[in-house]
């Protein structure tokens, strides 16, 4: 390479021009936010592998990639929420990058919702994890709001840091063996501070379970193997804490969401649309979805605030 002539002057570096896209409302964005967003949608490629242009051009040219406009809209929300560039890129790739989709085995796991749903939510959780308790009513509400289009699958992952996590998971398996998993699931989360053996027996009696069978299943070798199977699967795909959540095979990093409840509703709606269907929603059925649940903070996870008002978000319990 030749040494530059000292007399030469480099062309001035110009800032990315502010971009305007049909379908993206930037009226509430500041000039700085518009520039940051314009730069990012000019740098990131369209999420459809067959469309080899950046997000901005994909939308401007109306290219055949249905995810381009939602990607541009999501990135603007991220910018306006003050997310750093790296977090915005991670959120984009998690949500839209085709290479991020994982195939998850769900056979034999408890599930609720339409068996032929176009959206499958898979959650690994711990009944003693406060952040799992925060997310639980949100997931319940998604199933309620899209009764023919969303299926929720639960997988067990009791954390070693929680003294009652293992026995609570065993109670969930024992109830599952009598077709009452979801009833027990809600009881365990609703009574998270009361998970001693006597408490679990009381919940089983309230559900009219066969008590000798429940107690036998609670300590059975097969129950431990069932839980281990779920844990091994999660470890194999990188679980670092609970709740560990996937929607249609895509990992949902709750820390990168702006407003967990609304963002998850939007995520589900878009997946339904990308599957060629019209979202069929009913009114929200969970009072918790509109409340402001609080969870205690810990040394390993930041405090969670409102899951619906955007004031905060559930943080994962750590392994």
């Amino acid at each position: 390479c030749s040494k530059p002539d000292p007399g030469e002057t480099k062309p001035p570096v110009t800032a990315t021009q502010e971009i305007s896209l049909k379908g993206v409302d930037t009226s509430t964005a500041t000039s700085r936010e518009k520039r940051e967003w314009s730069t990012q949608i000019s740098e990131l490629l369209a999420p459809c592998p067959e469309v080899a242009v950046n997000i901005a051009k994909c939308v401007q040219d109306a290219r055949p990639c249905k995810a381009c406009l939602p990607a541009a809209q999501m990135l603007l929300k991220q910018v306006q929420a003050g997310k750093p560039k790296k977090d915005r890129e991670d959120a984009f790739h998690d949500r839209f990058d085709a290479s991020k989709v994982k195939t998850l085995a769900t056979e034999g796991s408890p599930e609720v919702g339409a068996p032929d749903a176009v959206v499958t939510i898979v959650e690994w959780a711990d009944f003693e994890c406060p952040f799992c308790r925060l997310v639980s009513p949100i997931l319940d509400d998604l199933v309620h709001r899209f009764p023919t289009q969303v299926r929720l699958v639960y997988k067990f992952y009791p954390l070693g840091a929680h003294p009652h996590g293992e026995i609570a998971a065993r109670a969930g398996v024992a109830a599952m063996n009598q077709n009452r998993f979801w009833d027990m699931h809600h009881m365990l989360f609703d009574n998270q501070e009361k998970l001693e053996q006597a408490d679990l027996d009381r919940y089983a009696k309230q559900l009219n379970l066969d008590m000798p069978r429940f107690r036998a299943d609670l300590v059975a070798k097969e129950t431990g193997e069932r839980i281990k199977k779920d844990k091994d699967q999660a470890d194999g795909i990188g679980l670092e804490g609970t709740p560990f959540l996937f929607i249609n095979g895509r990992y949902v990093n709750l820390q990168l969401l702006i407003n967990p409840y609304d963002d998850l509703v939007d995520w589900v709606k878009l997946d339904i649309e990308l599957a060629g269907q019209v979202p069929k929603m009913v009114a929200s059925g969970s009072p918790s979805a509109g409340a402001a649940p609080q969870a205690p903070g810990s040394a390993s996870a930041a405090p969670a605030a409102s899951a619906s008002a955007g004031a905060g978000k559930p943080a994962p319990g750590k392994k």
Side-chain angles (χ1 to χ4, degrees):
C1 296
S2 60
K3 191 175 180 180
D5 185 331
E8 288 182 349
T9 58
K10 294 181 179 181
V13 177
T14 57
T16 302
Q17 286 187 330
E18 291 183 7
I19 294 174
S20 177
L21 296 180
K22 184 179 180 180
V24 182
D25 181 7
T26 59
S27 62
T28 61
T30 65
S31 294
R32 177 191 60 78
E33 290 169 344
K34 290 177 184 177
R35 288 195 301 272
E36 284 191 25
W37 173 71
S38 297
T39 298
Q40 198 149 36
I41 61 174
S42 298
E43 293 175 348
L44 291 171
L45 292 178
C48 300
E50 67 277 9
V51 179
V53 297
N54 61 40
I55 294 172
K57 187 162 182 58
C58 178
V59 177
Q60 289 168 338
D61 295 352
R63 298 291 184 100
C65 180
K66 294 180 180 179
C68 281
L69 179 59
Q73 293 168 333
M74 184 197 78
L75 286 166
L76 178 61
K77 286 177 62 177
Q78 292 268 324
V79 168
Q80 290 189 282
K83 294 286 187 179
K85 183 179 181 181
K86 176 65 165 57
D87 283 359
R88 300 195 304 260
E89 288 181 359
D90 287 346
F92 165 75
H93 288 299
D94 285 345
R95 181 65 187 92
F96 295 107
D97 190 334
S99 68
K100 295 286 187 177
V101 178
K102 297 183 181 296
T103 300
L104 303 177
T106 61
E107 295 80 4
S109 293
E111 62 178 65
V112 63
D116 59 348
V118 294
V119 174
T120 294
I121 302 172
V122 180
E123 179 200 25
W124 277 266
D126 175 349
F127 289 117
E128 201 172 9
C129 168
F131 311 108
C132 297
R133 178 172 60 181
L134 279 178
V135 169
S136 179
I138 297 176
L139 301 182
D140 285 346
D141 199 62
L142 290 174
V143 175
H144 171 83
R145 296 196 72 182
F146 301 91
T148 65
Q149 296 172 309
V150 171
R151 176 175 71 116
L152 172 62
V153 178
Y154 184 93
K155 289 183 176 287
F156 302 92
Y157 203 107
L159 298 169
H162 293 152
H164 304 96
E166 176 74 19
I167 193 172
R170 285 177 169 270
V173 174
M176 179 181 72
N177 292 344
Q178 298 189 45
N179 299 316
R180 299 300 298 274
F181 169 78
W182 291 103
D183 296 306
M184 180 64 79
H185 167 281
H186 291 106
M187 279 190 166
L188 295 173
F189 275 133
D190 289 345
N191 300 278
Q192 198 171 61
E193 297 78 17
K194 298 177 180 178
L195 298 176
E196 299 291 346
Q197 177 70 62
D199 299 315
L200 302 179
D201 283 349
R202 186 171 69 255
Y203 307 148
K205 289 176 182 177
Q206 290 174 11
L207 295 177
N208 295 317
L209 299 186
D210 178 328
M211 291 307 297
R213 182 183 176 190
F214 175 79
R215 290 177 178 137
D217 286 347
L218 201 66
V219 297
K221 177 183 177 182
E222 292 78 11
T223 298
E225 291 172 346
R226 176 68 182 74
I227 294 169
K228 184 178 184 300
K229 180 181 178 182
D230 281 358
K231 294 184 69 173
D232 287 348
Q233 184 185 13
D235 288 338
I237 54 176
L239 180 144
E240 294 183 353
T242 57
F244 191 44
L245 193 66
F246 287 78
I247 299 180
N248 279 353
R250 290 186 179 277
Y251 170 58
V252 181
N253 187 340
L254 295 169
Q255 294 300 292
L256 297 181
L257 300 183
I258 308 303
N259 178 324
Y261 181 71
D262 289 343
D263 287 354
L264 288 174
V265 169
D266 288 344
W267 188 312
V268 167
K269 287 172 63 178
L270 178 58
D271 270 14
I272 292 171
E273 291 167 354
L274 292 176
Q277 296 187 14
V278 176
K280 300 173 184 176
M281 299 176 65
V282 300
S284 176
S286 170
S288 300
Q294 301 288 327
S298 70
S300 61
S306 171
S308 61
K313 49 193 166 292
K318 302 295 183 181
K319 282 176 68 175

